[in-house]
Amino acid sequence: MRKLAALLTTAAAAATLVGITGTTAQAGAESTYIGRYAGKSACVDAGQQYVREGYKSYSCLVQPGTPYYDLFVS
């Protein structure tokens, strides 16, 4: 249930933002891009939830010049 809510929230946020393409390369070839978050704490919370749901790790990468963080899981 929480994973679905996180995915829906992430999808809605990603749909409203521009410039998402090309960010996958920043996290490495084996990582999966999840979405963009308005702050580090929101990104970390979502990443920790993905780890609890079975992913091995997560990373939150800040987008230079913006307050946004991109979440990647592997």
Side-chain angles (χ1 to χ4, degrees):
M1 182 77 157
R2 286 184 180 189
K3 185 175 180 181
L4 177 60
L7 285 173
L8 293 176
T9 302
T10 300
T16 60
L17 296 172
V18 179
I20 292 175
T21 60
T23 57
T24 304
Q26 295 176 0
E30 67 234 17
S31 295
T32 302
Y33 174 75
I34 299 298
R36 185 167 285 175
Y37 293 85
K40 185 173 183 177
S41 63
C43 184
V44 169
D45 288 344
Q48 289 173 344
Q49 181 62 37
Y50 276 93
V51 169
R52 285 191 293 273
E53 303 251 348
Y55 285 89
K56 289 166 62 173
S57 65
Y58 73 93
S59 62
C60 293
L61 301 176
V62 68
Q63 290 300 302
T66 72
Y68 300 109
Y69 287 80
D70 287 343
L71 173 61
F72 296 88
V73 295
S74 58

